[in-house]
Amino acid sequence: MLRRDKPLSHALKLSAACLALAIPSLAFAQETPQAEDASDGEIVVTAQGRSQLLSDVPVAISAVSAETLQNSGANDIRQLNQVAPSLLVSSTGSEANGSARIRGIGTVGDNPGLESSVPVFIDGVYRSRSGIGLNELGEIDRVEVQRGPQGTLGGRNSSAGLISIYSKKPSFTFGVSGELTYGNYDFMRAAGSVTGPISEQLAFRVDGVYVKRDGFYRDDQNGHDVNNRDRYFLRGQLLFEPTDALSVRLIADYTSRKEECCAATYVDRTVNQFIGDLNTPSTVGVASTATSNNIINVLRDLGQPLAAFNQGYGRNISVSPNRVFSGETKDYGFSGQIDYDFGGATLTSITAYRQYRSGQASDTDYGEVDILYRAPSDEAYRQFHTFTQELRLQGEAFGGKLDWLVGGFFANEKLTVRDNLRFGNQYGRFATCRIISGGGLAGLYSPASPSCVVPGVGAATIGGAAGLSGPDVLAAFTRLDTLNDLGTTNDRYFQNGTNFAAFTHNIVHITDTLDLTLGLRFTSDKKKFDATFGNDNSACTAVQGLVLDDLVNPLTTATARALAGSLIGLSCQGNSTAELNGVSINDKRSEDEFTGTAILSWKPVDDLLVYGSFARGYKAGGFNLDRSALKSPILPFGGQAGTQALVRNLQFDPELVDSYELGAKFSNGPFGLSVSAFRSDFSSFQLNTFNGTVFLVQNVNGCDSLVGGSSADTDLSNTTGSCAAGDITYGVRTQGLELEASLVPARNFRVAAGLTYAKTTYRDDLIGTKNGAPLDPALRKLPGDNLSNAPEFVATSSVTWTPDIGSGGMSGLVYIDGRMTSDYNTGSDLFPQKEQDGFAVFNARIGLRGPDEAWGLELWGQNIFNQDYAQVAFNAPFQGGQSSAPFVDPRYPGGRQIFAHFLAEPRTYGITLRGKF
């Protein structure tokens, strides 16, 4: 098994280099200036449902201030990566499905049926998926990143952590602020806000942002850029405070995005040495060898320029004629928060309704050969209608010895997914050429001829090799060859989920310095699912009718059986079949879970807090919103009844985690330091993997004694490697150390840095479900290795200097931050072709500001050294070649599969003008 065993010395060098930027500090959390300011300048957060000094909160949390966000250039949660070392936010095929990870744990992939392991809350309101946080956020007061499972107060339970974003409230003092930015790629951003009193008891605030930018990728085929920006954001607020005891805050916001996203390019050996010769064409008339790949021949001969397979980190994308990546997103909603102080207790109510809708077209094969696509359509989208209600009552008892909190949470989420994925105009010829070029028939390869075979002799040779099945096999080739622009007309998935929770979170002050925190939550989650399919792929049913019987016919030849399997598989990929047209299925599931926390914390001196904690977290199970998971594409469904009988195959189990943590926090004003050691064990870990053909949603558990031996989970069989009920255990463990600190040696100088070591690994022996079923063989590289997008070492740092200039109140700004990351794998199946070498990204800003910062002029750069790296690498859809012994060579677990990747943003730079009064 290939492993990514990185030398410790390399990681230490990486960490030391980043920390050197911020010497003499070592991390970043308790220090960031002002979230809510206490009288002595320390930060106040609400991670435990009540306002507390950050240095007094016995949990792992990073608080990022508005100033830090502004200096780093952060406009959405993705840019929090630069200042929070345990956090990684990335996006892939659609920004609607951006994924957040904490300590190496997060929800993987683009399937909206999986809830976020790291949910996003904005002003106390749960957002349905973390990718929604990739929108513009407007004026922000602070961001809190809570690490580890939030089993008690999370609103919706989260298994890895959560991100809480707090916007600036209306002010009873009139004020106006604005900024104008221009940068490379014709980047333009305008933002403004107005706040002030309407009366002595009522204040308002309005924020607006408009952004436009050219794309980072160039589509020469169709003459435009991809991964551009064209969006705007509006938010209005009212704050009503009729008495000191009552506060009512109303918020309404609207986001619109019309952008083209998200393109990808092929991975070559200059980017990843494990690509080897995968991008090398094979000799004409000869199948793939150890140093060549027949699929490259097929793509080349059907119109794909070979230069695309050898451009390194180049951003010239391959797109089929008239295919686009256009997308449109609408996100809006309103919320109301009521806080009322009864005297002995305070009631908080947060009521919200939100609607989110995102449609995304794509050239889904990411190449010039038209294999697979989604056309732009108002009838293809994913949409969430979400209502949430949270109530909290918090007070004190027994003379202040008990700080108690009780509450309840309700959510109703209606999720609709409508899809129109279709085979492209060249799919039929691509599919037949893939079969012919990949094996013993390679000598018959003729991409310009019907069925991709040499006229005359080709058909005769195939017919002879197929024996009695010859006529059927030839007819199936002819039918597959015409499979063009067929597939989904409109699939509709609908899920209605309700979530109810009751919780209590209590802090017992045993002594003046010793506290015991106890939290408990009961959650009931119910989901109703139904789907109706629309499909016009009649080629699938025709090919099944021709050669299905030849798969098992003992009187035919081995060649005929092999060809029958390939012909049906490529005709019916992903269960795209006209047999499903008009078929509906439905199902439901429910689950109840108890989660909670226990924390013992001690302050031996005023400036030091030490604590130990246990937390149990939970993420709900659900439905895989993908028909490909119903069954293998080979056999027919058997009509409505047969399809309904398979619906249980779409379900996946809830994810559970037990987490342990020891920590210490020191804060004496100018210097802050926090250290935490953690271990979290995940059972039924939810994994979403694209295998080059379909998405697999798989629960992952561990086993103390695999049936068939310890290697039974690393072979190619889906029947070996089961586990007895008494031997099933957790499947994923993350453990490590986090260190964060800051130093303010002078009023206008601040340094901060952070270091996270997280060993986030699968157990050596793995199974699938909690019932002991074997792991899917596509995941055979997982046992014993690190999870995807889970670097072991991450170091962040920043330096901020705001020197006075003259005696007139002017000041300067010098800011730089950096994030250094050790090696990691970006693919959830952990194929070595998806490895990403360690790298560093730095942002910088220099500016001049007027008295009281009434105006400012700043020059800025992000990724200033133009570091190239991939967010995620993946199997190029359907683009796998064939060899005589596929999937055997450990260097190429995907056989002759080729790969593509979504690149991170290149260097950007520009100028910003700010003003306020």
Side-chain angles (χ1 to χ4, degrees), residues 118 193 259 296 328 335 340 400 423 489 496 581 715 722 783 791 805 874:
V118 183
S193 66
E259 301 170 348
I296 302 298
E328 185 171 356
S335 65
Y340 186 76
F423 297 113
T489 53
N496 189 342
N581 192 49
D715 59 26
S722 59
I805 298 177
F874 60 96

Side-chain angles (χ1 to χ4, degrees), residues 662-791:
L662 295 173
K665 297 185 177 185
F666 176 81
S667 179
N668 67 355
F671 179 66
L673 172 68
S674 68
V675 181
S676 59
F678 60 89
R679 170 180 285 181
S680 301
D681 294 333
F682 291 79
S683 300
S684 293
F685 179 75
Q686 296 171 4
L687 184 66
N688 188 22
T689 302
F690 180 64
N691 68 359
T693 302
V694 296
F695 283 94
L696 305 173
V697 175
Q698 170 88 77
N699 287 108
V700 179
N701 288 283
C703 183
D704 289 330
S705 180
L706 279 177
V707 176
S710 60
S711 64
D713 56 352
T714 60
D715 59 26
L716 292 169
S717 171
N718 59 4
T719 60
T720 60
S722 59
C723 187
D727 292 330
I728 298 172
T729 182
Y730 69 89
V732 170
R733 168 173 286 176
T734 180
Q735 59 185 345
L737 181 70
E738 296 166 323
L739 189 151
E740 302 184 320
S742 72
L743 180 67
V744 185
R747 176 182 57 84
N748 56 14
F749 190 79
R750 173 181 296 274
V751 288
L755 174 65
T756 295
Y757 167 72
K759 185 72 171 176
T760 308
T761 60
Y762 294 101
R763 281 185 64 110
D764 288 338
D765 295 322
L766 296 179
I767 56 171
T769 68
K770 62 184 180 182
N771 298 322
L775 190 72
D776 191 292
L779 305 177
R780 63 191 181 281
K781 300 294 294 181
L782 271 56
D785 209 344
N786 289 2
L787 272 68
S788 63
N789 287 286

Side-chain angles (χ1 to χ4, degrees), residues 48-50 151-157 345-350 389-395 403-411 499-506 518-524 594-595:
Q48 296 197 115
R50 65 270 277 172
T152 305
L153 294 174
R156 287 290 286 269
N157 275 336
T346 300
L347 174 69
T348 297
S349 169
I350 302 176
Q389 173 65 59
E390 182 168 7
L391 290 171
R392 297 193 304 266
L393 187 65
Q394 185 254 329
D403 183 346
W404 56 267
L405 184 152
V406 295
F409 178 82
F410 172 80
N499 181 284
F500 169 78
F503 55 87
T504 181
H505 186 273
N506 307 284
L518 298 172
L520 182 66
R521 184 186 189 97
F522 170 76
T523 300
S524 177
F594 281 97
T595 56

Side-chain angles (χ1 to χ4, degrees), residues 114-149:
L114 281 78
E115 299 182 13
S116 301
S117 298
V118 183
V120 172
F121 291 78
I122 300 180
D123 292 320
V125 176
Y126 170 78
R127 300 303 177 95
S128 293
R129 299 296 181 267
S130 59
I132 295 173
L134 297 179
N135 289 334
E136 291 286 329
L137 299 174
E139 288 276 356
I140 297 301
D141 180 67
R142 72 187 187 279
V143 178
E144 298 177 10
V145 180
Q146 296 172 240
R147 307 189 295 274

Side-chain angles (χ1 to χ4, degrees), residues 98-121:
S99 176
R101 295 172 176 84
I102 290 179
R103 295 172 175 172
I105 300 293
T107 299
V108 178
D110 294 343
N111 193 318
L114 281 78
E115 299 182 13
S116 301
S117 298
V118 183
V120 172
F121 291 78

Side-chain angles (χ1 to χ4, degrees), residues 833-873:
Q833 288 76 23
K834 301 174 184 179
E835 292 278 354
Q836 170 61 56
D837 290 337
F839 61 91
V841 174
F842 293 90
N843 300 333
R845 188 173 295 258
I846 185 170
L848 183 66
R849 304 186 292 191
D852 299 321
E853 299 185 27
W855 58 268
L857 184 65
E858 300 168 0
L859 299 175
W860 54 266
Q862 292 184 287
N863 191 7
I864 57 177
F865 298 114
N866 204 27
Q867 175 67 57
D868 289 316
Y869 63 99
Q871 295 190 83
V872 171

Side-chain angles (χ1 to χ4, degrees), residues 155-287:
R156 287 290 286 269
N157 275 336
S158 56
S159 55
L162 63 83
I163 301 171
S164 293
I165 300 168
Y166 297 91
S167 64
K168 287 188 176 179
K169 294 181 178 180
S171 172
F172 284 91
T173 301
F174 183 78
V176 177
S177 65
E179 68 174 63
L180 294 172
T181 297
Y182 184 79
N184 61 334
Y185 294 95
D186 207 19
F187 173 59
M188 293 177 284
R189 185 176 190 270
S193 66
V194 181
T195 187
I198 297 175
S199 69
E200 292 184 355
Q201 299 173 336
L202 182 65
F204 78 97
R205 184 181 187 93
V206 177
D207 297 284
V209 182
Y210 172 75
V211 180
K212 194 165 187 177
R213 191 203 66 210
D214 293 341
F216 294 137
Y217 291 99
R218 181 62 186 172
D219 171 14
D220 290 325
Q221 172 74 251
N222 299 296
H224 51 114
D225 297 327
V226 180
N227 283 42
N228 66 328
R229 290 282 185 271
D230 189 358
R231 58 180 65 173
Y232 65 87
F233 165 81
L234 295 171
R235 179 171 58 223
Q237 300 185 62
L238 291 174
L239 179 62
F240 180 53
E241 295 182 342
T243 68
D244 291 340
L246 176 63
S247 174
V248 180
R249 185 184 182 191
L250 304 177
I251 305 173
D253 65 89
Y254 182 89
T255 294
S256 173
R257 294 165 51 172
K258 294 183 179 180
E259 301 170 348
E260 295 203 38
C261 190
C262 299
T265 58
Y266 290 107
V267 185
D268 67 24
R269 71 170 75 190
T270 66
V271 171
N272 185 314
Q273 62 177 328
F274 295 108
I275 293 295
D277 296 304
L278 286 176
N279 294 353
T280 302
S282 59
T283 303
V284 176
V286 178

